[in-house]
Amino acid sequence: LSLTFDSSSQGCADSDSAPATITIKGSAKITGGTGKYAGASGTLIVKGTFDINSKGIVNSSESTSFTLDLSGNIATK
């Protein structure tokens, strides 16, 4: 599926410094796809979270789980 996120969609942190949980919410418009989703359309509700654990150390990296739930209807051709 190809998606375009609505400009009112947002990601908000529960703290102004790490560690913090980022909550994502909004909507996405389905603009097409490939295979059985070619020509698909519809709108999906988006909800998700991920955590930032590092304290902003330069050149550091971290690995974290990213959860994103999409719900809605998909119209196919």
Side-chain angles (χ1 to χ4, degrees):
L1 287 175
S2 298
L3 304 173
T4 300
F5 287 87
D6 185 278
S7 62
S8 65
S9 297
Q10 56 185 262
C12 296
D14 65 356
S15 174
D16 61 355
S17 62
T21 297
I22 309 300
T23 302
I24 301 164
K25 62 181 179 177
S27 62
K29 180 179 178 183
I30 301 169
T31 57
T34 60
K36 70 179 185 177
Y37 295 108
S41 62
T43 301
L44 301 174
I45 302 299
V46 179
K47 295 179 183 179
T49 61
F50 67 96
D51 295 319
I52 298 174
N53 297 311
S54 66
K55 301 233 183 237
I57 301 168
V58 175
N59 295 323
S60 69
S61 64
E62 64 181 85
S63 176
T64 187
S65 296
F66 176 72
T67 302
L68 188 64
D69 294 318
L70 304 170
S71 61
N73 295 310
I74 303 171
T76 57
K77 292 185 176 187

